[in-house]
Amino acid sequence: MHRTLSDLTARIDRVLTDRVLPVVHTHRAPLEVTVAHLPSEPVPFAEAVRLPFAPTAVGEPWGRAWSTSWFRLRGVVPPEMAGRRVEVLVDLGFRTGGPGFEAEGLVYTPDGVPLKGIEPRNLYVPVADPARGGEVVDLYVEAAANPSIGGSPTTDLGDLATVPDVLLYRLARAEVAVLDEEVQALALDVQVLHELALQLPGNDPRRERVRAGLERAVDALDVRDVPGTAAAARAELAELLAAPAAPSAHRVSAVGHAHIDSAWMWPVRETIRKCARTFSNVASLADAYPDLRFACSSAQQYAWVQEHHPHVFARIREKVAAGQFVPVGGMWVESDTNLPGGEALARQLVQGRRYFARELGVEEQPEVWLPDSFGYTGAFPQLARLAGARWFLSQKMSWNTTNRFPHHTFWWEGIDGSRVFTHFPPADTYGAKLSGEQLAYGVANFADAGPANRSLLPFGYGDGGGGPTREMMETAHRVADLEGSPRVVVETPAEFFAAAEAEYPQAPVWSGEMYLEFHRGTYTSQLAMKQGNRRTEHLLREAELWAATAAVRAGSAYPYEHLERLWQDALLLQFHDILPGSSIAWVHREARDTYRRLAGELETLVAGALAAAAGSGDVDLLANAAPHDRDGVPALAAEVAGAAPGAARVAVSRAGDAVVLDNGLLRVRVDADGTIGSVRDLVADREVLAPGTSANVLQLHPDQPVRFDAWDVDEFYRHRVREVRSVAALDVDSADPARAEVRVTRHDGDSAYVQTIALAAGERRVDLALDVDWHERETLLKAAFPLAVHAERSTAETQFGHVHRATHTNTSWDAARFEICAHRWLHVAEPGYGVAVVNDSTYGHDVARPGPGDARGAGSTTVRLSLVRAPRYPDPETDQGRHTMRYALVPGAGVDEAVREGYRINLPARRVRGAGPVAPLVAVEGAVVEAVKLADDRSGDVVVRLYEARGGRGRAVVRPGFACAGASVRDLLEREDPEVAALAPLSDAGDGAVALELGPFQVVTLRLARA
């Protein structure tokens, strides 16, 4: 037989799509529909059902973008449906988009109990199985007219203020129907085998047998009577579906999943509703499929449902107890991991794990679950282990655009040496449909095949929610043991990880950060997010420190609940599409408002705590919350503010058109164009800047990435650059003899810039500030510092330590790091001399050696800060407006000085009045203090989090400033853990002090019991 005479693939596709799927539901009967359109924001069920409902019909338009309409569906199950499985079908006007990216609905009973979500590819609501006939149908659907925001250059759909006044959807279906389970099963049988055949090699005997069976099934099917002939068609496929997988087949651990971005192309208020829809779907699906295992992260999302949808939360608790709904990750949200500070990452783990234990009884949380964050800090393995986790899951590294990540199952080693067993699903998705293509790709792509033979595959619609469907569960059953396919078992992530680690204990090791070669623009986009985050993190540090000090010194009440709420609000904003700046305008507008609120509340807490700790009086005090002494004030203390010595002054002079500032330590020349022409380190007797260059130069680059505007900075941006050197005014302020400033005003394009260059007496540091009124589009602004340092690598602060990166481009891995992340400081050095650049709000940097061409002798190293961008999508007004940022050049700095100056610029000393000095609660030598607070168990004990900052072994001494009954090392959650305690043995250092032996970048949580 000539088998090429007809296109069997096309025939199967046509029969499945046009003949079988349309009759999965039969005996359709329309429902009566009424509607109430809300004038503004969503309202609770009890309020919505009191609204006046008006008649409407299928085909009628509804839904301005982001609006809500409540539909009421009423009817009676017709007698002819008796004995059959009956469902309500609702189509809100869905288009071709997947769940979560267009209209969505949540179905309620008349007494306000949510049943399940309605979304594309999930239209049904169970009514009866079997039906008697005559059952009353009465349902409410809260329908959200969420717009589909595509990847066009700009969108007006990202904020209520700009959405067009048009209706987006038409109600397409509202009916009661019979689910023909035999036809549904036929559709799934055909789909599974058809997809399998498409993935098998062309000469594979199994492929030919499957295709022959599919042809027989299609022949057996009478398309004029699909329900009547479905069983016969299925009979032709039964033997093919029963053929078992090969003994050596790859094993896939399939886990239900619904990645729900806590904000992205929708605001937080919509995420709350997405969670209710998705979690209702999962609970309903779990009733029908006892073998479902659904992994769900983000304690914040559970907390939202607990507050807004208690019925749904009760169902979650029920399914958690049954082992079907599995809390994973143990974090407050799936945060970014590049940008949050060390203490914030620790609190993500603390808050998430505490919530799961308290509200859901889940004590063991062995895995961290971050499938979609934009790269992973090398600090994370240690923090995960200190929080009780030992496994890590992601898949985002598959998005690398230059180098393929070499492993899917491996040990990830952090900057301190701690390791977590890590897995990346080789199907390269966190939202699989369990299709034949995905299963086959996962097997073929698995980098560790041979010594390892299992992988994990999260299945279910995601990003905007939706989750697994009954079709996916039925598919999982069919591919559980199917010849030509990997074996698929639905199980929990913990079951997978335990088996994978046992199978592959000698997995390879990846050491250090996992730098994502993509989405580099997220270090800079939406500057207000970066500034708000940085300021909030440091205000939280201050609030806890001074509140603890006031509690111990003055007996003040410690604001446990208030601080926890503020932390949770801040942690939400670290979600991986909020802090990185990759959400719609609505999200970032609300985030800016939240940051302002947080700053106000925290400033009030700090002021009150300092007033209580210092007491009433008129003594001028300087409060230093930094971990280093400065200006005569001990770390973590308040001391009498002393006047600067009379001899400490800055000389200001002219050298032609240039202004020269000299404090005896540095001599800084500001040239007529407002750039820094020279920085002479008088202590080291050397020039800091590269010969023939200028520093603090503002540089503008066209910034038009190929794919994702807010997310990406593409390498070719460097092909064109224009420097901002025009000067509208250059003013010198030397009124304060201890501090001189040069202010440079510039106008360029549609933007205005005011740069300040300042030198203070006694400081080996050049203080810089930029006030910009920014109105450029698709432009990247950088500040450049060409340094006379031949640095082979840069050293950038990361959480609880630092990371080294090559400054050359010897390999493709080096070249791909053309934009890097640093926190408060970045340092470059050659043997004997280094320079640091510190900042109060910048994360994106680049560090480069001289480019292509001839050279002789030592080269320079240029450090640039990425200050502000202007992408147009998804927020067309990104970063427009006024911004102020501070940074500083620190000549002669080592890592210790970089750490100290990084804290200094982010924790300015506070001037307060009180009765007298406030002694520190603790004095620490040999380590850096990141947090001082009272213990979360409300015992009144003091908790100190500290870390080794140099990257070497050392000894720290901690001296409590209060009567201390004992010290103990705890885990991040302040729990006793012998393994954690053994990592930092304590010894008596005399006079009530304790000593700790620290490893490189080791983080220690020390509990000091009050006597």
Side-chain angles (χ1 to χ4, degrees):
M1 177 182 293
H2 299 284
R3 302 198 60 82
T4 57
L5 295 180
S6 64
D7 188 339
L8 180 59
T9 297
R11 184 185 178 200
I12 296 168
D13 285 337
R14 175 78 187 277
V15 168
L16 183 62
T17 302
D18 295 350
R19 308 298 189 182
V20 178
L21 290 175
V23 295
V24 166
H25 285 95
T26 60
H27 300 84
R28 302 168 188 250
L31 294 169
E32 174 191 316
V33 186
T34 56
V35 66
H37 302 295
L38 295 186
S40 56
E41 285 296 277
V43 299
F45 174 87
E47 185 176 341
V49 296
R50 293 197 299 267
L51 296 170
F53 279 69
T56 188
V58 168
E60 288 297 309
W62 71 278
R64 184 175 181 264
W66 303 116
S67 69
T68 298
S69 295
W70 282 81
F71 293 97
R72 188 173 188 181
L73 313 179
R74 286 183 285 193
V76 176
V77 176
E80 59 268 26
M81 295 185 183
R84 307 295 297 276
R85 184 173 175 179
V86 175
E87 299 177 337
V88 165
L89 301 179
V90 182
D91 185 338
L92 297 172
F94 302 131
R95 299 162 186 167
T96 57
F101 290 92
E102 51 181 292
E104 305 172 63
L106 181 59
V107 180
Y108 290 79
T109 65
D111 55 355
V113 177
L115 293 177
K116 69 180 296 290
I118 291 295
E119 297 160 308
R121 304 170 197 166
N122 197 341
L123 313 182
Y124 72 95
V125 183
V127 174
D129 182 19
R132 301 185 310 274
E135 289 93 341
V136 173
V137 175
D138 190 359
L139 299 172
Y140 288 89
V141 181
E142 181 193 30
N146 298 337
S148 178
I149 300 177
S152 57
T154 62
T155 178
D156 55 4
L157 295 171
D159 204 344
L160 284 175
T162 58
V163 296
D165 190 16
V166 297
L167 300 180
L168 300 182
Y169 299 102
R170 290 181 182 272
L171 184 65
R173 181 182 297 177
E175 59 196 17
V176 64
V178 168
L179 173 66
D180 190 317
E181 295 175 84
E182 193 70 22
V183 175
Q184 181 191 44
L186 173 63
L188 288 160
D189 291 348
V190 171
Q191 179 178 302
V192 166
L193 289 172
H194 185 39
E195 289 179 352
L196 172 66
L198 290 175
Q199 300 305 315
L200 293 172
N203 59 352
D204 190 299
R206 169 67 167 168
R207 176 181 183 272
E208 293 308 316
R209 285 195 298 272
V210 169
R211 286 172 60 83
L214 286 168
E215 188 167 36
R216 290 194 303 272
V218 172
D219 289 341
L221 186 71
D222 184 348
V223 296
R224 295 164 298 182
D225 183 17
V226 172
T229 56
R234 291 192 70 203
E236 297 294 340
L237 304 176
E239 185 177 341
L240 294 168
L241 287 166
S248 61
H250 186 81
R251 179 185 173 103
V252 173
S253 297
V255 57
H257 189 231
H259 180 68
I260 303 177
D261 287 315
S262 292
W264 182 35
M265 295 295 164
W266 45 85
V268 166
R269 69 93 147 141
E270 200 53 40
T271 309
I272 297 170
R273 302 202 293 178
K274 286 176 177 288
C275 292
R277 297 173 198 127
T278 297
F279 298 167
S280 297
N281 283 347
V282 171
S284 176
L285 193 65
D287 288 339
Y289 294 90
D291 59 329
L292 173 65
R293 300 294 181 267
F294 175 74
C296 185
S297 68
S298 302
Q300 170 70 87
Q301 296 183 0
Y302 291 79
W304 280 331
V305 174
Q306 184 178 16
E307 177 184 356
H308 296 278
H309 292 278
H311 289 290
V312 178
F313 191 72
R315 295 278 281 147
I316 291 172
R317 275 190 168 140
E318 172 192 333
K319 298 306 178 185
V320 169
Q324 295 176 282
F325 203 115
V326 185
V328 294
M331 295 178 69
W332 190 247
V333 296
E334 290 185 12
S335 72
D336 182 80
T337 78
N338 293 311
L339 307 174
E343 188 61 24
L345 272 190
R347 300 302 175 94
Q348 287 283 358
L349 291 159
V350 168
Q351 289 290 334
R353 286 164 190 274
R354 283 232 179 94
Y355 180 89
F356 287 153
R358 181 180 67 247
E359 302 298 338
L360 297 169
V362 179
E363 297 289 346
E364 293 295 324
Q365 300 163 51
E367 70 285 293
V368 172
W369 189 272
L370 287 173
D372 196 32
S373 300
F374 307 149
Y376 302 94
T377 170
F380 212 103
Q382 178 179 199
L383 296 179
R385 295 302 297 266
L386 289 174
R390 50 195 295 260
W391 301 320
F392 183 88
L393 180 133
S394 180
Q395 63 81 48
K396 199 66 175 185
M397 298 305 293
S398 67
W399 286 47
N400 270 9
T401 57
T402 302
N403 299 283
R404 173 186 163 95
F405 197 83
H407 314 297
H408 286 105
T409 301
F410 60 99
W411 290 97
W412 179 22
E413 181 179 88
I415 58 174
D416 74 307
S418 296
R419 294 180 181 180
V420 287
F421 191 76
T422 299
H423 181 71
F424 296 165
D428 293 346
T429 180
Y430 48 71
K433 295 181 289 186
L434 297 179
S435 68
E437 180 182 9
Q438 290 168 334
L439 292 172
Y441 175 77
V443 174
N445 190 46
F446 187 47
D448 301 280
N453 195 35
R454 65 181 70 229
S455 61
L456 187 144
L457 183 57
F459 68 93
Y461 294 114
D463 288 333
T469 65
R470 63 188 179 189
E471 290 78 15
M472 295 174 190
M473 287 300 298
E474 290 292 338
T475 299
H477 294 165
R478 285 164 171 77
V479 297
D481 190 12
L482 180 65
E483 184 185 357
S485 171
R487 281 192 172 88
V488 176
V489 58
V490 179
E491 61 183 356
T492 67
E495 289 172 317
F496 161 76
F497 271 109
E501 185 179 350
E503 175 187 68
Y504 198 26
Q506 301 303 314
V509 177
W510 178 272
S511 182
E513 71 172 337
M514 290 193 284
Y515 175 92
L516 181 66
E517 297 170 355
F518 207 30
H519 291 0
R520 302 169 182 89
T522 59
Y523 308 151
T524 305
S525 292
Q526 296 282 0
L527 175 59
M529 301 300 99
K530 279 59 174 179
Q531 292 184 320
N533 177 71
R534 184 77 68 84
R535 187 68 186 127
T536 299
E537 288 181 340
H538 289 82
L539 281 170
L540 282 162
R541 171 198 174 97
E542 289 189 87
E544 288 186 332
L545 167 66
W546 299 125
T549 303
V552 175
R553 296 277 181 252
S556 298
Y558 189 80
Y560 293 99
E561 293 89 352
H562 196 175
L563 283 168
E564 181 170 58
R565 177 177 61 77
L566 295 173
W567 265 113
Q568 290 174 357
D569 289 348
L571 296 177
L572 167 61
L573 297 182
Q574 292 179 341
F575 176 72
H576 66 254
D577 277 307
I578 302 179
L579 177 53
S582 49
S583 290
I584 58 174
W586 189 343
V587 173
H588 292 299
R589 171 174 52 79
E590 287 190 335
R592 290 192 294 271
D593 292 342
T594 301
Y595 278 129
R596 280 191 288 268
R597 175 179 59 79
L598 290 173
E601 292 186 45
L602 286 164
E603 289 286 1
T604 299
L605 282 178
V606 169
L610 275 172
S616 299
D618 294 323
V619 178
D620 288 328
L621 301 172
L622 202 62
N624 175 22
H628 308 91
D629 298 356
R630 67 175 175 196
D631 301 327
V633 182
L636 316 177
E639 187 57 79
V640 176
R649 57 188 306 115
V650 179
V652 180
S653 61
R654 293 277 183 175
D657 291 335
V659 178
V660 179
L661 313 178
D662 190 328
N663 68 357
L665 302 174
L666 299 176
R667 183 182 301 125
V668 180
R669 189 185 80 231
V670 181
D671 289 339
D673 64 358
T675 64
I676 300 175
S678 170
V679 177
R680 186 75 185 177
D681 186 341
L682 303 176
V683 177
D685 191 24
R686 62 182 286 167
E687 175 60 44
V688 177
L689 305 186
T693 67
S694 299
N696 198 32
V697 179
L698 298 179
Q699 298 179 331
L700 297 169
H701 293 271
D703 183 16
Q704 298 156 353
V706 170
R707 295 186 65 186
F708 301 110
D709 287 12
W711 291 258
D712 295 341
V713 168
D714 288 346
E715 180 274 338
F716 57 79
Y717 88 89
R718 299 180 296 182
H719 296 177
R720 294 172 56 198
V721 62
R722 184 171 62 82
E723 296 184 346
V724 181
R725 290 191 180 243
S726 61
V727 177
L730 192 152
D731 302 301
V732 180
D733 183 351
S734 57
D736 181 353
R739 180 181 175 85
E741 294 185 353
V742 178
R743 283 188 297 275
V744 184
T745 303
R746 307 181 190 274
H747 299 287
D748 186 277
D750 294 323
S751 302
Y753 309 83
V754 177
Q755 293 177 276
T756 302
I757 303 104
L759 189 63
E763 298 291 351
R764 201 176 174 192
R765 180 187 70 245
V766 184
D767 293 323
L768 305 164
L770 173 64
D771 187 332
V772 55
D773 189 11
W774 179 250
H775 295 286
E776 307 307 309
R777 304 284 179 172
E778 297 182 308
T779 301
L780 171 61
L781 174 66
K782 284 182 172 271
F785 296 86
L787 305 173
V789 173
H790 188 76
E792 293 187 359
R793 66 187 188 183
S794 65
T795 302
E797 187 189 34
T798 190
Q799 300 90 346
F800 295 116
H802 54 257
V803 59
H804 301 298
R805 302 181 181 101
T807 58
H808 56 68
T809 56
N810 285 359
T811 71
S812 59
W813 295 87
D814 300 327
R817 289 182 169 90
F818 59 81
E819 183 80 2
I820 58 175
C821 182
H823 282 213
R824 291 168 290 212
W825 56 267
L826 188 143
H827 181 260
V828 293
E830 61 191 25
Y833 194 80
V835 180
V837 177
V838 301
N839 73 84
D840 75 343
S841 54
T842 300
Y843 294 88
H845 296 73
D846 71 270
V847 183
R849 298 271 292 281
D854 191 17
R856 297 187 68 178
S860 61
T861 303
T862 298
V863 175
R864 298 198 304 167
L865 292 82
S866 298
L867 299 177
V868 65
R869 300 183 67 211
R872 301 173 63 202
Y873 180 84
D875 178 0
E877 297 299 315
T878 299
D879 287 330
Q880 298 301 297
R882 187 168 178 176
H883 309 279
T884 299
M885 59 207 83
R886 298 184 304 143
Y887 41 101
L889 185 70
V890 189
V895 167
D896 282 348
E897 290 75 25
V899 172
R900 184 193 68 227
E901 294 299 335
Y903 275 103
R904 174 192 285 263
I905 198 171
N906 284 277
L907 282 168
R910 294 176 178 271
R911 292 191 175 272
V912 297
R913 286 190 171 186
V918 180
L921 283 185
V922 290
V924 178
E925 302 167 10
V928 174
V929 175
E930 185 69 359
V932 178
K933 58 190 285 293
L934 293 194
D936 290 338
D937 64 6
R938 307 196 179 192
S939 62
D941 291 349
V942 174
V943 170
V944 180
R945 189 124 50 224
L946 52 84
Y947 69 102
E948 196 289 316
R950 296 186 181 96
R953 301 177 189 273
R955 182 174 186 266
V957 176
V958 179
R959 301 182 186 278
F962 54 90
C964 181
S968 59
V969 173
R970 301 297 180 99
D971 71 2
L972 282 189
L973 280 73
E974 302 171 18
R975 304 172 299 195
E976 291 187 85
D977 184 325
E979 292 185 4
V980 171
L983 296 171
L986 295 178
S987 59
D988 187 348
D991 296 327
V994 294
L996 304 87
E997 300 300 322
L998 298 177
F1001 301 130
Q1002 185 173 355
V1003 177
V1004 174
T1005 303
L1006 189 65
R1007 181 174 184 140
L1008 303 173
R1010 290 167 64 189

